[in-house]
Amino acid sequence: MSQPYHHGDLRHALIAAAIEILEIDGIGALSLRAVARRAGVSQTAPYRHFRNKEALLAAVAAEGFRGLIRHMSERAEGAADPATRVTAIGVGYVAFATRHPAQLRLMFGPEIQSKPDHPELIGVAREAYAMLSGTIAERLALDDAATVDPVIATLASWSMVHGLALLLVDRQINPNMTGGVEIGTDALSARIIALFGEALTLRPD
Amino acid sequence: MSQPYHHGDLRHALIAAAIEILEIDGIGALSLRAVARRAGVSQTAPYRHFRNKEALLAAVAAEGFRGLIRHMSERAEGAADPATRVTAIGVGYVAFATRHPAQLRLMFGPEIQSKPDHPELIGVAREAYAMLSGTIAERLALDDAATVDPVIATLASWSMVHGLALLLVDRQINPNMTGGVEIGTDALSARIIALFGEALTLRPD
DNA sequence: TGTACATCAGTGAACGCGCGTTCACTGATGTAC
DNA sequence: TGTACATCAGTGAACGCGCGTTCACTGATGTAC
């Protein structure tokens, strides 16, 4: 009764357990058996819900993209105009990454060998990309004379924000590098992203 | 005679074998035993030259940073002024990454748990950073009125270039995303980096 | 309302595998006299 | 130049481990009549 034979919603419980393992012990500790153990279930039970390990990883990564989108949306809501919205989305991206580093690694790393085999994952990744490119497009539309290619601008923004996120996650950058003055991660990323954002306003000479 | 008992330079041979495994089968296949096999030596021989697996990985990662520095230097040599040199270094960074994706992952990933334990690795990573920050500083010095903080500018440049490198490596970006027009990786990264580079020339309003 | 039975979601034992590391060893090399 | 011996750089067997996956199974649930 306290441990019914049927779990009820094991699929989601497994995804949740996997995310907990990522947060606690990192991506190196994420095995199918560990996930089953943490969900309190035999090690073969996951096979009722996922074809194999990679299918579970793909579901976890998809959940990660949903978290990323949530972080970006929350920050974007507070921004009045497209210019500040671009920065807000970027800060949200970095905020998600620093709070969920191992999820970020799974989302972008080589553990999921064949992403095309997981349409759900591709769909939600596209959604995140669309959010960024849409906001950049709005931003560029403000400025009739802007000559910046919107695709290049989107790729550049994404690169900047993604690189900053990973350098922070990998501890290559720490937030008190700026001349010994300690500033938070959010503030540092805001400054860095703002510097870049200005490039979008450039007009031809 | 063809297989002498003493190898001669097993240490370097092991590093070379590890790099080959990275290039061929990726970071997931990089085990100590696989390295020994590829070097044609018993699986315990590496312990004469490295304390443990992580020590070998650190040596391989250090070699990776040397390769990165080499790529950046080569491109920088052809650049006459500091402005084009900044772009050249960035393109070199991305070029290294796309040619040696698994090495990049090892250099920045979580496989080497404690980087402070490997001073050689830290030294050569600092050297790469110094190369970038020095070039950015020269670039900013051209422009008396520039108000950009050099540390922020360096971190921003590094982020952009690092993010672009990883998105390419992870196949999140492919070089014919730009409206179906196929352009090479080098050309794409040059365009993206150039867009960013302009932000460094900004003057106060 | 009660029963037979198909289906579903779990279990537990077992498989074969590759891993990092240790241990006692041995062959090759170099050095002191 | 020759020999004894210490040191160095390899070997091969073995350890214990955790992994992904398969298999035949069983308990619980739901549905047809």
Side-chain angles (χ1 to χ4, degrees):
Chain A
M1 193 162 290
S2 59
Q3 313 249 96
Y5 191 89
H6 284 92
H7 183 284
D9 193 8
L10 184 53
R11 186 188 157 86
H12 288 114
L14 290 168
I15 293 171
I19 289 174
E20 287 168 23
I21 290 169
L22 284 175
E23 315 254 287
I24 297 168
D25 292 319
I27 199 165
L30 187 59
S31 72
L32 209 44
R33 288 162 98 116
V35 170
R37 271 195 301 273
R38 177 159 264 266
V41 108
S42 80
Q43 70 203 10
T44 54
Y47 285 93
R48 297 295 133 207
H49 300 274
F50 299 97
R51 276 193 62 190
N52 51 28
K53 185 186 181 189
E54 184 160 312
L56 170 61
L57 295 187
V60 173
E63 195 53 41
F65 274 103
R66 281 184 209 103
L68 174 62
I69 290 168
R70 220 178 302 124
H71 270 78
M72 294 194 294
S73 303
E74 277 167 17
R75 306 263 175 166
E77 274 170 21
D81 59 296
T84 59
R85 205 172 303 140
V86 170
T87 309
I89 286 185
V91 174
Y93 193 108
V94 175
F96 171 80
T98 54
R99 284 157 186 72
H100 309 285
Q103 278 191 70
L104 191 81
R105 272 196 232 281
L106 176 63
M107 288 155 64
F108 291 99
E111 288 79 12
I112 299 167
Q113 307 248 7
S114 173
K115 302 209 172 138
D117 292 350
H118 308 282
E120 182 201 11
L121 175 55
I122 292 197
V124 72
R126 285 231 175 88
E127 205 179 310
Y129 181 81
M131 189 171 172
L132 179 58
S133 68
T135 312
I136 297 270
E138 283 175 36
R139 172 76 177 83
L140 293 176
L142 285 185
D143 193 350
D144 291 339
T147 54
V148 179
D149 177 317
V151 175
I152 295 290
T154 302
L155 294 181
S157 312
W158 188 15
S159 295
M160 138 101 10
V161 138
H162 188 69
L164 178 55
L166 276 160
L167 291 173
L168 285 163
V169 161
D170 293 335
R171 314 217 152 272
Q172 298 285 332
I173 290 179
N174 71 355
N176 49 5
M177 275 175 98
T178 41
V181 185
E182 167 79 26
I183 65 176
T185 301
D186 285 9
L188 177 65
S189 62
R191 281 190 69 186
I192 289 174
I193 293 167
L195 170 60
F196 168 77
E198 321 220 325
L200 297 181
T201 62
L202 290 174
R203 290 144 183 286
D205 291 334
Chain B
M1 191 163 288
S2 60
Q3 313 247 96
Y5 192 87
H6 284 91
H7 182 283
D9 194 8
L10 184 53
R11 186 187 157 86
H12 288 114
L14 289 168
I15 293 172
I19 289 174
E20 287 169 22
I21 290 170
L22 285 175
E23 316 255 287
I24 297 167
D25 292 319
I27 198 164
L30 187 58
S31 72
L32 210 43
R33 288 162 98 117
V35 170
R37 270 194 303 273
R38 178 160 262 268
V41 107
S42 80
Q43 70 203 7
T44 53
Y47 285 93
R48 297 295 132 207
H49 300 275
F50 299 97
R51 276 194 60 192
N52 51 29
K53 186 187 181 186
E54 185 161 310
L56 170 61
L57 295 188
V60 173
E63 195 53 40
F65 275 103
R66 281 185 209 102
L68 174 61
I69 289 169
R70 218 178 304 124
H71 270 77
M72 294 194 294
S73 304
E74 276 168 16
R75 306 265 175 166
E77 274 170 21
D81 60 295
T84 59
R85 205 172 302 141
V86 170
T87 309
I89 285 185
V91 174
Y93 193 109
V94 175
F96 171 80
T98 53
R99 284 157 186 72
H100 309 285
Q103 279 191 70
L104 192 81
R105 272 197 232 281
L106 176 62
M107 288 155 64
F108 292 101
E111 288 79 13
I112 299 169
Q113 308 247 8
S114 173
K115 302 210 171 137
D117 293 350
H118 308 282
E120 181 203 11
L121 176 56
I122 292 198
V124 72
R126 285 230 175 87
E127 204 180 309
Y129 181 81
M131 189 171 171
L132 179 59
S133 68
T135 312
I136 297 270
E138 283 175 35
R139 173 75 178 83
L140 294 176
L142 285 185
D143 192 349
D144 292 338
T147 55
V148 180
D149 177 317
V151 174
I152 295 290
T154 302
L155 294 180
S157 311
W158 188 15
S159 295
M160 140 95 20
V161 138
H162 187 69
L164 178 56
L166 276 159
L167 291 173
L168 285 164
V169 161
D170 294 334
R171 313 214 153 274
Q172 298 285 332
I173 290 179
N174 70 354
N176 50 4
M177 274 173 99
T178 41
V181 184
E182 168 80 26
I183 64 176
T185 301
D186 285 10
L188 178 65
S189 62
R191 280 191 70 187
I192 289 174
I193 293 166
L195 170 61
F196 167 77
E198 322 219 325
L200 297 181
T201 62
L202 290 174
R203 291 146 182 284
D205 291 335

